[in-house]
Structure formats: structure tokens, C-alpha cells
Amino acid sequence: MESRELRYFVAVAEELHFGRAAERLGIAQPPLSRAIQQLERRLGVDLLERTSRAVTLTKAGSVLLREGRAALDAVEAADRRTRRAAKPHPGLVLVTKAGSAGELLARLLDAYAADPFAVTVDVQLCGVGEQERMLRDGRADVALLHLPFDSTLGFDTEELHTENQLAILPRGHELLSRPHVKMADVTDLPGLPLPRWPDHVGVYADGPGPKVRDTSQLYQLIALGRAAAVLPESCRTHLRSDLAAVPVLDAPKVTTVIAWPPHSRSQALAALVRTATLL
Amino acid sequence: MESRELRYFVAVAEELHFGRAAERLGIAQPPLSRAIQQLERRLGVDLLERTSRAVTLTKAGSVLLREGRAALDAVEAADRRTRRAAKPHPGLVLVTKAGSAGELLARLLDAYAADPFAVTVDVQLCGVGEQERMLRDGRADVALLHLPFDSTLGFDTEELHTENQLAILPRGHELLSRPHVKMADVTDLPGLPLPRWPDHVGVYADGPGPKVRDTSQLYQLIALGRAAAVLPESCRTHLRSDLAAVPVLDAPKVTTVIAWPPHSRSQALAALVRTATLL
DNA sequence: CGGGATCGATACCTGTGAGGTATCGATCCC
DNA sequence: GGGATCGATACCTCACAGGTATCGATCCCG
């Protein structure tokens, strides 16, 4: 199986439309139709059910969609990591969610700088759920993930830190007089709904609550008295002065882990992980 | 990057010889030379240093060898799993080392057969270190691995069982009179060296000790008074009558884990894992 | 019910490039 | 210094990826 065939199939399987998939791939529709037919013939497997009105995945087709995405990520990773390895000073790309782990990351980078194997660390901040993809397709070498929000499936990890969560409220809110609250106290505050975050493709779940893309948007909404939030307690160090926090006893604990692709072999990465575990 | 280019490069990088690599790939040498040159040009990276006498990998080349192998395994897995998914009764392929985990595996298969999501389980036995490869390239769906011997890098796992190890000796050996021994007692027994096992490519490490490929060879050598061995205590249930065992106090504990590719999604596999953890 | 719109498949053409053979040039070995 | 080894180059050929035009089926709507 050629990776070109996989790219074509994944495009069609995602769009469920030959015309749009062809446009996305920058080719005409007929060669795409033929390529998919040929792939099906070579595999001896029907991947798509097509009528002239709709295209749907067969069972085998959805297996190939999942496996094919993983394979294409691996191929892209091979490409990117090879290019990077050839640069005079390769460095490491560390990726983490914007607005999280500031304190921990700063300490990590400081401590790492003293290591004899240290190389330049390029810190990239990205949106929700994007880190795993970046590790998989070679755009990043190592990530700071936050359980239970992020998935560590397929990566090696070391736990770095576990913390409780706080309810973040506008300064002066009545709940702030309490020493601590429960999740039930903050999930249905009148006029202060919890925000919604986009998933990995940028789509928001249905339901109440304002849509937010980053913490600065969120903080502003809370300050305006339009939302509340539950965040890890490390956010306290950089909380705006017009916001305040109170511990939430029964919120899930947040664990920060350092994660990397399992077959990584660089001394620079090994040193970074070692540094992180010794923090 | 096309998977054909990766296959070509991996062949050359493994053989370090264009002629042999071409033969292995079933093509002539000149097109292979050109394909590698073109790959280097497209990547903008030197992958190989060649003189007319020797071919060696550059740093970037060894990165591409490692990443390329992983990517090719993923592509092959996509192919195989898709074909299997299209069969009327897909079933699961479980792989484990020959001669290990007999008892546990039998109990697992028994318990699983009662599960409502159960499908046919095809048990494959394989050599040392081959299981990880089979999980990665789609020949297997799930494996029983034994820590610390096998690597679980890149897989999801659940621990099933931990056991101590025994020294296996010819019946009547003087050490058998003791209630237990230490590793130091068995590593240098006169005339009874510990055996050597092949690594994942079938190569034996240098050193003393007979080369063995499976446990039946090993048992025969021990019975002949030519070797000793340290094995997990579960081997006791099927030990030959001309052998005997004594616990080794400070041998590393052996943990049996069930492992599967992290992006697996089948209910049949989920049920098998659930069954295993409840044993 | 009929005309137009939508969408995947088919027919047919073209150019690129993968792969073959013959040979060169450099290096090593005896 | 002659032969052997090995990767690179030159040159040819044909398979196939990709393009355009068009068909045939289905749906929508007046």
C-alpha cells in the first residue's frame, strides 16, 4: 500500500464526498475515484458504499480510516524528524496547552539548561487536544499533558505533579466566603455557567455556557460576571486581580505528565525527561 | 514522502549496500540509487555517506531509519487490519512467547469465551522479541508480554500477574536441598552456565552459555547437565520430571501484562482486556 | 411528472517518472 | 598494474497518475 493511496482514502473518508476530497487534494475527481477503486481492488475489500447521492464507510473502511491516519502521521513524523535531525543544532520542540503549567515549565527549562546534554528547547503553545497530534506527526518531540483532559495513548510518560482544582469566580462572589466548595455548588450557578472548550477539530459541544478558546478569553468572561470556571490550582500564580478562587473539594485531581513518542532515542530528550522527574 | 521511498531507504540503510538492497527489493541497482538520491534531494538532507567501498548512515539517516521503520509498520498494519476487518468473522489474534503463560492464557481464553462480545481468538506463539513487532505491524491484535524481558513501549497495557523466578536444575543437584538460593549461587555454577537467547533479529550475544531457541531445547540441555536456567515460577506446572526447581530470592520479579496498540477500538478486544483484568 | 442539478463512474488521452540495460569511474586487493 | 567491487550516469521504455469530456443514476422542485 502506498502512502498516496492512504492520503486519498483518508480525504474521501473524512469528506464522504469525492468532489470535495479531490479539491482538498488538489486533483480532479475522476483520478480520485479510480485510485480508490484500485485500492479496494488491491485490498480485495469494499471500503465505501456509494450511491449517486451519498458515500458511507463500510466497517473495513472505518478501520482503514483510523489505521491510515496513524500511518500517515508516522510517515509525516519520519519526514519532519529527519529534516530536523539534519539541522546544525536540532534542539527540541516542547508543546503544551496555552495558559497552563507556566510555573512548572519555567522551573523545568531552568533546571534543564544546566544539564550537560541540554539543547535549545523551542516551546510551542497550542490549542486543546492538539498536542497529541503534534507528538504523533513529528511537529513536536515532547509535551506536557494534563490528565484527565489529555490522552496519553501511545506515548511514554512520567508523572510530574498532581494538583487540586479551584473554582474561579468574579471577585466578591458570595461563594468566595466559604473555605471550600463542591462541584455541585459551581456547576449550576445562576448566570455563571461553566464555559465550553472546542474539541480537537475546533467544534464545540452543544449546551449552555460561553464558547472560549483560551484562558484570557475565559478570565475576561469571568471578570464580566458571565461565567465561572474550575481550573488547576497552579493558575493562582497568574490570576488577574479582578478574579478570585476557592478550592473545589470533589473536582478531579489534575496530573501534569511529560510525554514523548515511545521510540525516541535522543540524549537531549532523555536528559529533559530526567530533569523533569527530578524537579 | 511515499512509502515506496521509505521501503527503499530502509532496505539500503539495513544492508548498507545498494546491490544487496536492490536484490532484496526485487529491483535493479541503478533505479535504487536514483530513488535514494531523489529522496535526499526532496528532503534536502544527506542520508548516506557513500564511497565506492562503503556506505554509512549520517545522523539524519539513522533518524529516518528508526522513524521509517515505525511508519512502514504502521502502513502495513493499516493494510492487514483492513483486510481482516472485512472478513465475515474477524476474530482476534493473540500472540505470546512460546512456552510461557500457559496456565494464565488457558484461564483467560476460558473466561473470555463466556463474554457476550467474545469472538474467535487465534493464538500465535512466536520467538523472543517478535511480539512487539507483530502488534505494531498488524499481524496481531493483542499480546501477553513479560516484563522486564519484553518492552511495552508504545502500547497500552494492563498488569495481570506478578511472579517470582525459580532456578531450574537437573534433578538431584546439590542446590536443590536448600529452601531458596540467590542469583549469585546460580550465575556461575561450574559446568552449568545460563543459556543465551537470540535477540529480535536472531543474533546471540557473545559470551559463555549454550545458545537456545525455545524452552524445550533449554529443558533438554538442563536435563543433560549442560545448563541451568532462571525462569518464572509458572513453569513449574509443566516441568519435565527429570528437572527440579528452587526459588531464587533476588531474581527480578516477572510481570505478565496484556498489551495492545493504543488506538484499538474493537469491542471484542475491550472485552478480552476486561476479562483479563478480572481473572 | 419532467427538467435541471448533483455526484460518482467511465472513456480516452497525455506526460511523468519508475524501472530496465549498458557502461563509467573510483577504490581496493593481490 | 590488472582485475574485482561498487555506486553513479546515460539512455531507453512503458505503466500509470492525472487531466478533460461525458455518461447514468438519483434527487429536488415547480
Side-chain angles (χ1 to χ4, degrees), chain B:
Chain B
M1 181 148 26
E2 288 305 309
S3 47
R4 186 182 47 83
E5 300 178 291
L6 277 181
R7 272 185 283 273
Y8 286 8
F9 174 74
V10 168
V12 175
E14 285 180 353
E15 300 283 347
L16 291 177
H17 188 291
F18 280 75
R20 278 196 300 274
E23 190 181 357
R24 189 174 120 185
L25 292 165
I27 64 172
Q29 171 259 318
L32 178 57
S33 283
R34 262 185 297 124
I36 302 291
Q37 285 175 45
Q38 182 178 328
L39 177 60
E40 288 178 311
R41 209 172 331 115
R42 280 212 261 255
L43 283 170
V45 167
D46 282 347
L47 300 170
L48 300 165
E49 309 272 5
R50 46 282 231 185
T51 70
S52 66
R53 301 308 292 174
V55 175
T56 56
L57 283 171
T58 64
K59 215 163 173 184
S62 51
V63 168
L64 185 59
L65 175 56
R66 185 160 28 80
E67 298 277 340
R69 277 173 173 154
L72 288 176
D73 279 349
V75 171
E76 245 185 275
D79 185 315
R80 270 196 261 260
R81 295 213 166 95
T82 304
R83 287 181 206 268
R84 287 243 315 281
K87 294 207 295 186
H89 301 293
L92 285 175
V93 177
L94 182 150
V95 66
T96 189
K97 236 176 307 190
S100 72
E103 179 66 14
L104 182 70
L105 180 55
R107 277 194 295 137
L108 171 58
L109 294 178
D110 268 4
Y112 178 62
D115 192 285
F117 290 111
V119 297
T120 317
V121 177
D122 180 8
V123 176
Q124 297 218 0
L125 302 177
C126 72
V128 178
E130 225 184 327
Q131 296 143 284
E132 295 94 326
R133 187 83 207 290
M134 292 183 73
L135 274 188
R136 246 183 273 279
D137 72 11
R139 278 177 294 172
D141 302 302
V142 59
L144 293 182
L145 301 179
H146 302 278
L147 307 183
F149 310 123
D150 302 321
S151 152
T152 61
L153 283 184
F155 302 119
D156 275 19
T157 59
E158 286 285 346
E159 293 194 5
L160 299 184
H161 180 60
T162 297
E163 56 190 326
N164 293 309
Q165 296 201 77
L166 307 175
I168 313 297
L169 298 164
R171 186 165 281 286
H173 190 277
E174 55 163 356
L175 276 183
L176 294 167
S177 58
R178 302 207 209 161
H180 45 71
V181 298
K182 294 227 165 190
M183 279 303 285
D185 299 324
V186 292
T187 45
D188 270 321
L189 288 173
L192 293 182
L194 297 180
R196 286 176 291 157
W197 295 92
D199 67 11
H200 60 105
V201 287
V203 177
Y204 291 87
D206 286 338
K211 300 176 182 178
V212 300
R213 275 193 50 248
D214 56 59
T215 46
S216 69
Q217 287 185 358
L218 175 59
Y219 288 159
Q220 186 152 8
L221 283 171
I222 301 175
L224 289 168
R226 300 304 197 86
V230 175
L231 295 177
E233 60 192 6
S234 61
C235 73
R236 207 160 215 166
T237 57
H238 47 264
L239 206 60
R240 297 163 45 145
S241 57
D242 49 358
L243 302 180
V246 55
V248 183
L249 283 186
D250 58 346
K253 290 223 193 299
V254 174
T255 302
T256 304
V257 304
I258 184 168
W260 63 96
H263 55 274
S264 302
R265 271 288 125 88
S266 94
Q267 285 188 321
L269 174 59
L272 181 64
V273 172
R274 185 165 10 92
T275 305
T277 57
L278 298 177
L279 274 185

Side-chain angles (χ1 to χ4, degrees), chain A residues 131-161:
Chain A
Q131 295 142 287
E132 294 93 326
R133 188 83 206 291
M134 292 182 74
L135 274 189
R136 246 182 272 280
D137 71 11
R139 279 176 294 172
D141 301 302
V142 59
L144 293 181
L145 301 179
H146 299 90
L147 308 181
F149 309 124
D150 303 320
S151 153
T152 60
L153 283 184
F155 302 120
D156 275 19
T157 59
E158 286 285 346
E159 294 194 4
L160 299 184
H161 179 60

Side-chain angles (χ1 to χ4, degrees), chain A residues 178-221:
Chain A
R178 303 206 209 160
H180 45 72
V181 298
K182 295 228 165 189
M183 280 303 285
D185 299 323
V186 291
T187 45
D188 270 323
L189 287 174
L192 294 183
L194 297 179
R196 284 176 293 156
W197 296 92
D199 67 10
H200 60 107
V201 287
V203 176
Y204 291 87
D206 286 337
K211 300 176 181 177
V212 299
R213 276 193 49 250
D214 54 60
T215 46
S216 69
Q217 287 184 358
L218 175 59
Y219 287 160
Q220 184 153 8
L221 282 171

Side-chain angles (χ1 to χ4, degrees), chain A residues 59-108:
Chain A
K59 215 163 174 183
S62 50
V63 168
L64 186 58
L65 175 57
R66 186 162 27 80
E67 298 277 339
R69 277 173 173 155
L72 288 175
D73 279 348
V75 171
E76 247 184 274
D79 185 315
R80 270 195 262 260
R81 295 213 167 94
T82 304
R83 287 180 207 268
R84 286 244 313 283
K87 293 207 295 187
H89 300 293
L92 284 174
V93 177
L94 183 151
V95 65
T96 188
K97 233 176 310 192
S100 72
E103 178 67 15
L104 181 71
L105 180 54
R107 277 194 295 138
L108 171 58

